[in-house]
Amino acid sequence: MNILQVNNLKTYFYSRHGITRAVDDLTFKIKKGMVFGLVGESGSGKTLTALSIMGLVSLPGKIMGGQAIFDGADLLAMDDDRLRGIRGCQISIVFQEPSTALNPVFTIGYQVQEAILAHQDIGKKKAKELAMEYLKKVHIAKPDRVFDNYPHQLSGGAKQRAMIAASLVNSPDLLILDEPTTALDVTTQARILELLEEIIESGNCSILFITHDFDIIARMCDEVGVMRSGKIVEMGSIGQILNNPKESYTVSLLESAKALA
């Protein structure tokens, strides 16, 4: 059974220079319990696909057509109130850059706690207990101290762990990971990937994993779609894409990844 079915998604940008078809007739599905990867070079439309699904496309961008069927309902046809009830609760996203995703004027604890209070009918005391529980789950060192810290007081890795905690506190059915390790140093990347493996192995949610890194795709995903210029040019199982790619673009991406290894 599919947790998400994206059909013919089109997201365009309009300017005085014309129309940019940033996401152009995109179709894919994510089965329940699956880790589905979207891989492609920068500018291929991966992040914009996630933002479109979440209803977070800003002008001059506009969703021009398609469907994103989640749990039997089309996210793209929902009003803002209903969509807000789903975002951060049934669907959560971890962005590439935690320094811009976290609000600098609020403490980490406040932001994780606020995610709980927005979607769960519990008091502040219980929300704080739950926030602390999830900060511990993502292996944040000294969670009591971090709870009262502001984002600028934390390392990049700790900020990303806090973002992951905030994304998990409401037990989402679908977790979108948008290049969650790209802004981190190599050692911190490895630790975050180990944490994400724990989340995947728990099997509590389906995952859309967006990355440009084939090594991460091979390590984390069950199936993968290769994106180029707003389209998926090839899709299949990890084994099929890595060992028997059909498209020349996929072959060139794999060769580039090997050259950089």
Side-chain angles (χ1 to χ4, degrees):
M1 184 175 179
N2 298 330
I3 189 71
L4 180 69
Q5 173 75 55
V6 175
N7 299 319
N8 310 112
L9 177 63
K10 299 180 177 74
T11 303
Y12 298 169
F13 282 77
Y14 293 83
S15 72
R16 59 189 178 88
H17 301 293
I19 302 172
T20 300
R21 292 172 171 82
V23 177
D24 194 16
D25 205 26
L26 194 70
T27 296
F28 67 91
K29 63 185 177 183
I30 302 176
K31 297 174 185 175
K32 284 191 175 181
M34 173 190 283
V35 182
F36 181 84
L38 272 183
V39 65
E41 60 192 336
S42 296
S44 60
K46 305 184 302 296
T47 293
L48 192 59
T49 297
L51 295 176
S52 299
I53 291 167
M54 297 286 280
L56 296 174
V57 177
S58 301
L59 292 173
K62 187 176 181 181
I63 298 173
M64 297 303 297
Q67 295 176 310
I69 308 298
F70 173 76
D71 199 23
D74 186 3
L75 297 170
L76 306 186
M78 290 181 186
D79 60 39
D80 289 342
D81 286 342
R82 187 177 177 193
L83 199 52
R84 273 194 294 269
I86 290 174
R87 281 196 301 253
C89 182
Q90 292 173 270
I91 305 176
S92 289
I93 186 167
V94 177
F95 292 102
Q96 178 179 151
E97 181 47 78
S99 294
T100 56
L102 291 167
N103 192 320
V105 302
F106 294 111
T107 64
I108 296 297
Y110 177 90
Q111 294 183 64
V112 178
Q113 193 174 343
E114 193 68 10
I116 299 166
L117 292 171
H119 296 285
Q120 298 187 40
D121 187 19
I122 60 176
K124 287 187 177 181
K125 182 179 178 182
K126 286 289 186 183
K128 181 175 181 178
E129 291 173 1
L130 188 58
M132 193 69 71
E133 176 188 335
Y134 273 84
L135 289 174
K136 292 175 182 176
K137 278 187 177 182
V138 298
H139 309 305
I140 282 183
K142 301 178 181 178
D144 292 347
R145 180 184 298 175
V146 168
F147 190 91
D148 294 320
N149 282 160
Y150 290 88
H152 74 272
Q153 296 175 287
L154 304 182
S155 67
K159 280 184 279 197
Q160 192 62 292
R161 287 175 187 273
M163 278 293 302
I164 293 169
S167 74
L168 294 175
V169 287
N170 292 307
S171 302
D173 298 309
L174 177 64
L175 178 63
I176 299 174
L177 301 170
D178 182 16
E179 300 271 14
T181 62
T182 298
L184 307 174
D185 63 74
V186 174
T187 302
T188 306
Q189 280 184 23
R191 291 173 180 161
I192 293 296
L193 287 173
E194 288 171 2
L195 170 61
L196 295 175
E197 281 183 319
E198 287 182 26
I199 294 167
I200 289 168
E201 288 169 7
S202 73
N204 292 329
C205 62
S206 307
I207 294 175
L208 172 57
F209 205 123
I210 294 169
T211 181
H212 65 277
D213 191 326
F214 265 106
D215 287 338
I216 292 176
I217 287 289
R219 178 175 174 177
M220 298 290 182
C221 300
D222 302 306
E223 293 187 6
V224 59
V226 181
M227 284 196 72
R228 183 184 189 186
S229 302
K231 299 177 182 289
I232 289 181
V233 296
E234 186 166 5
M235 186 159 48
S237 68
I238 290 300
Q240 176 187 331
I241 297 298
L242 294 182
N243 301 317
N244 190 28
K246 305 297 184 186
E247 294 292 325
S248 59
Y249 176 70
T250 307
V251 173
S252 66
L253 286 180
L254 287 167
E255 289 176 347
S256 297
K258 290 176 183 176
L260 292 171

